[in-house]
Amino acid sequence: MNSHRFFGHTLSTLCYGAVCAVAVLSTGCANQAVVPAPAPTVAAPPIEIVTQAFETDTLYSLLVAELAGSRERLDIMLSNYIQQAIETQDAGVTQRAAQLASYMRQPTETLQMASQWAALDPKNPQAHYMAMAALTDSSRFFEAFEQGKFLIENQHMPHGLDVLAAKASQTTVSQEDATSLNNLYKTLASRFANDAQLLLGISFLSYRESDYTTSLSKARQVQTLAPKQEQAYYQELRVLEQQKSPLVQQRLGEVVALFPENQQLRLQYARDLTQTNLADAAIQFQTLHQQIPDDANIALALALTQYQEGNIEQAKAVFSPLTAKPAQADTANYYLAKIATQQNDPLKAIDYYLAVKPSKEFLPALANAVGLLHQNNQAAKALQLLTGYQLSAPAEYQEGIALLTGNHYKNLQQNTEALNTYNAAITRFPHALPLLYNRAMLLAEQNNLKDAERDFKTIIAIDPDHADALNSLGYLLVDTHQRLPEAMGYIERAFTLDPENPATIDSLGWAHYRSGDNDKAIRYLRQALIKMPNDEIAAHLGEVLWVNKQEQEAMSVWKQGLELNPNSRYIFERLQRFKIVPAQSTQP
């Protein structure tokens, strides 16, 4: 988990008091959502300014400015007000210029006018709020602190020192400056020991200094002083996560209970729970779904969690209406297809899979649809589907479609067509590892060992850690009694990369058998068969046991393999070779 996820919540709940009313900061006040500043083409809100007798030229310039504003030419309006603010040094004109610059999101002009306004009208808290915010946004934190100090000393609340510290702590301010700023805060706190905003600022700056003990202590102190100040809880969670505390998730749940309407925090809690407790995650997503029923992303998260938890019917009920939501439709259709497959309705599953449009689910959906069509004796429709997508699908999906087409022919044992498909695709995508790998496997099955070895080595040259290619090349050499030390090197490398892969464990056992170490062979082959009951692995283990004079166990293993695949060519070949059954026999 990333501790910065809680800091984003913190900033969104902080503001510079009255400054929020004039849209100086991009962060929202209290729990309000962040609202972008209006575009410059919208007329500025009316702001009452102090009037006085101006020179004719000044009055004319201000009238032109107001007229420009009424015509949505805020650039002219701002330019005139800034010019007159500088020339007249009038607090009212400067206020208008500062607020207009802030409204238009002009940071340089905002800082210039806000600073002048605070100097001209030093007793006006709004001037200091705006100057503080502008200085903070310009990373002039020490000057901003002086503005905040004025506000707290004159009992203007909120004074915004927490916002200043939050922003300072997330910038590239030097460690020396962070420490100096924190010392200023601590000195001020000696006079205002129960000021929650000030203490929260110390928590932020202490976190920046990696003083997590102080940061956590101050955050919890703020919770005592101001139990409803959500950012103090965010900061506590942030520190706990940084410390990798096992209590983070529990505390997050407690904070969610304290602020049940905080949807962003509940969403974070729900996401965390998906890693530890799907049932509780589903409860949180269900609550969010009830709070914001029109949020399709929340609905999708709920449905996915229900599906993973095994509540298929509940998930189906939530997925179904999402098929009408463009952003969620592909995922919804994909999982509805999986549900239909689980419920033994392959035709409905195919329809759902084919409803998935180009997206991250597109190729998996197409692969599953083709597989179901094969299982339901509709291979011709599968080929028609693949051919159609070769003509219509976007370019980024063509490599995957070519792979599925080649595999389609291979599954039908139309090996010439499969090889032609792979060849054409590899000409177009020469570094496509799945295509190279599947062609290599087909070549190996056809005993074209030279070309198969070439493809495996091409893959390894592109990706030296391609465990499947390393294992397959090693097995190819072992099975054909070629270059056993080299073959063992490939397989051992694959085993190092993927030690739990039963295919690699099988290859390692077979390599030891070919090298004459039957005891090691039996040990590895037993592991492989336990991990992946498979007739080919059973054939290997049975052979080694038979050669090792453990005939009864060998027969038991072969019987197990035949129960998995009654027509296993691997087992029958050994039964005939060892003269256990007559040659050409179709059963033991």
Side-chain angles (χ1 to χ4, degrees):
M1 293 187 289
N2 184 347
S3 61
H4 293 297
R5 63 200 178 120
F6 292 119
F7 194 56
H9 296 310
T10 300
L11 283 178
S12 71
T13 61
L14 297 172
C15 69
Y16 280 112
V19 175
C20 293
V22 292
V24 169
L25 296 179
S26 62
T27 52
C29 294
N31 295 322
Q32 298 300 313
V34 176
V35 180
T41 56
V42 179
I47 301 176
E48 181 180 350
I49 63 171
V50 178
T51 59
Q52 67 175 40
F54 291 120
E55 297 289 337
T56 302
D57 290 346
T58 298
L59 185 59
Y60 176 76
S61 179
L62 295 176
L63 289 173
V64 169
E66 292 298 329
L67 181 60
S70 70
R71 295 181 177 179
E72 300 182 358
R73 288 301 307 273
L74 300 188
D75 54 336
I76 296 175
M77 185 180 186
L78 178 60
S79 176
N80 282 22
Y81 262 101
I82 289 176
Q83 179 184 353
Q84 294 307 316
I86 294 170
E87 290 182 3
T88 65
Q89 291 294 299
D90 179 82
V93 174
T94 305
Q95 174 185 355
R96 177 69 158 160
Q99 292 174 326
L100 182 60
S102 172
Y103 181 84
M104 293 175 64
R105 301 287 177 172
Q106 300 296 317
T108 301
E109 291 79 1
T110 300
L111 176 58
Q112 178 188 11
M113 291 293 99
S115 299
Q116 179 172 308
W117 180 21
L120 291 171
D121 193 3
K123 294 183 179 181
N124 188 326
Q126 280 199 22
H128 290 280
Y129 283 132
M130 181 172 284
M132 184 181 183
L135 288 164
T136 299
D137 287 343
S138 299
S139 298
R140 292 164 62 174
F141 301 118
F142 290 95
E143 296 169 76
F145 175 80
E146 292 303 319
Q147 299 291 339
K149 182 180 177 183
F150 167 87
L151 292 167
I152 192 173
E153 288 176 337
N154 288 275
Q155 301 181 350
H156 294 299
M157 299 292 290
H159 46 68
L161 284 167
D162 49 352
V163 185
L164 166 58
K167 292 205 169 186
S169 68
Q170 69 166 346
T171 64
T172 55
V173 63
S174 69
Q175 189 67 36
E176 181 181 356
D177 282 348
T179 300
S180 297
L181 189 59
N182 201 10
N183 287 337
L184 290 174
Y185 269 74
K186 290 176 180 177
T187 300
L188 194 58
S190 66
R191 297 166 52 199
F192 301 95
N194 293 322
D195 187 288
Q197 294 175 66
L198 186 58
L199 294 174
L200 188 58
I202 293 174
S203 179
F204 293 146
L205 292 168
S206 296
Y207 184 96
R208 173 66 174 77
E209 294 184 87
S210 301
D211 181 0
Y212 302 122
T213 301
T214 299
S215 183
L216 184 60
S217 171
K218 296 302 180 185
R220 287 173 172 168
Q221 189 178 349
V222 172
Q223 293 171 19
T224 301
L225 292 169
K228 297 299 183 182
Q229 196 164 23
E230 293 182 26
Q231 55 266 36
Y233 298 90
Y234 294 136
Q235 181 67 1
E236 178 193 10
L237 292 166
R238 184 183 178 213
V239 177
L240 290 173
E241 190 163 66
Q242 179 64 37
Q243 294 177 321
K244 302 187 185 304
S245 169
L247 301 176
V248 175
Q249 191 175 93
Q250 176 185 330
R251 183 56 176 156
L252 178 55
E254 292 169 354
V255 175
V256 169
L258 288 172
F259 302 100
E261 299 305 314
N262 188 318
Q263 295 159 2
Q264 193 174 19
L265 199 57
R266 188 182 296 277
L267 177 59
Q268 186 63 64
Y269 183 43
R271 287 171 174 166
D272 283 4
L273 286 170
T274 60
Q275 305 301 314
T276 59
N277 191 321
L278 284 174
D280 286 350
I283 291 171
Q284 297 302 322
F285 280 124
Q286 183 68 58
T287 300
L288 283 166
H289 186 47
Q290 292 168 352
Q291 290 176 336
I292 36 177
D294 294 332
D295 190 318
N297 286 323
I298 295 297
L300 182 62
L302 171 61
L304 289 169
T305 305
Q306 291 170 331
Y307 177 83
Q308 292 171 23
E309 194 188 1
N311 292 327
I312 302 302
E313 288 300 328
Q314 293 179 24
K316 183 178 178 180
V318 181
F319 276 129
S320 294
L322 293 176
T323 60
K325 304 288 186 181
Q328 292 76 28
D330 293 319
T331 303
N333 280 312
Y334 181 78
Y335 279 92
L336 285 168
K338 291 170 73 71
I339 290 171
T341 302
Q342 291 173 305
Q343 295 179 334
N344 298 314
D345 193 344
L347 297 183
K348 182 175 286 187
I350 290 169
D351 288 341
Y352 278 126
Y353 279 133
L354 296 184
V356 176
K357 296 180 174 58
S359 61
K360 65 184 178 67
E361 289 92 0
F362 174 68
L363 286 175
L366 181 57
N368 290 341
V370 168
L372 287 172
L373 288 168
H374 274 263
Q375 293 172 22
N376 287 273
N377 300 314
Q378 298 186 56
K381 184 175 179 180
L383 179 59
Q384 182 182 14
L385 181 66
L386 291 166
T387 303
Y389 279 128
Q390 286 174 349
L391 298 174
S392 64
E396 62 264 33
Y397 299 101
Q398 290 301 325
E399 177 187 326
I401 293 169
L403 177 64
L404 292 175
T405 305
N407 292 349
H408 160 81
Y409 285 122
K410 184 179 176 183
N411 290 336
L412 295 175
Q413 298 184 340
Q414 298 176 10
N415 290 339
T416 300
E417 289 83 354
L419 189 58
N420 289 338
T421 301
Y422 292 142
N423 290 340
I426 290 168
T427 299
R428 185 177 178 186
F429 307 104
H431 299 295
L433 300 187
L435 286 166
L436 285 165
Y437 184 79
N438 278 268
R439 183 173 72 176
M441 295 297 288
L442 177 59
L443 291 168
E445 289 176 13
Q446 295 178 320
N447 291 317
N448 187 343
L449 306 182
K450 180 180 177 181
D451 287 346
E453 181 177 343
R454 176 207 63 209
D455 276 355
F456 285 133
K457 287 186 172 179
T458 298
I459 295 169
I460 295 167
I462 296 171
D463 180 7
D465 292 337
H466 197 293
D468 288 338
L470 288 163
N471 175 56
S472 296
L473 176 56
Y475 180 82
L476 175 69
L477 296 175
V478 166
D479 204 44
T480 54
H481 300 272
Q482 299 183 61
R483 311 194 306 271
L484 289 180
E486 179 185 346
M488 184 67 83
Y490 291 131
I491 294 170
E492 287 179 338
R493 172 66 176 156
F495 181 71
T496 300
L497 292 167
D498 191 6
E500 298 301 320
N501 189 326
T504 303
I505 298 171
D506 171 63
S507 296
L508 192 57
W510 198 236
H512 282 297
Y513 170 59
R514 292 295 199 199
S515 300
D517 192 339
N518 289 352
D519 290 340
K520 276 190 178 179
I522 290 170
R523 186 168 74 250
Y524 283 118
L525 290 169
R526 284 192 203 282
Q527 291 178 24
L529 189 60
I530 290 171
K531 285 179 175 292
M532 185 174 70
N534 170 283
D535 64 305
E536 185 175 2
I537 298 174
H540 289 163
L541 177 56
E543 177 172 337
V544 181
L545 289 167
W546 186 271
V547 171
N548 211 44
K549 308 301 182 183
Q550 297 171 252
E551 291 93 345
Q552 186 174 353
E553 187 177 357
M555 291 298 295
S556 176
V557 169
W558 282 330
K559 181 180 179 181
Q560 178 185 348
L562 288 171
E563 288 172 353
L564 295 169
N565 180 5
N567 299 311
S568 173
R569 62 184 178 89
Y570 304 108
I571 294 177
F572 277 111
E573 187 277 327
R574 282 152 177 90
L575 293 174
Q576 292 169 359
R577 176 154 45 91
F578 293 122
K579 299 182 174 20
I580 299 169
V581 298
Q584 307 303 320
S585 175
T586 59
Q587 61 182 8

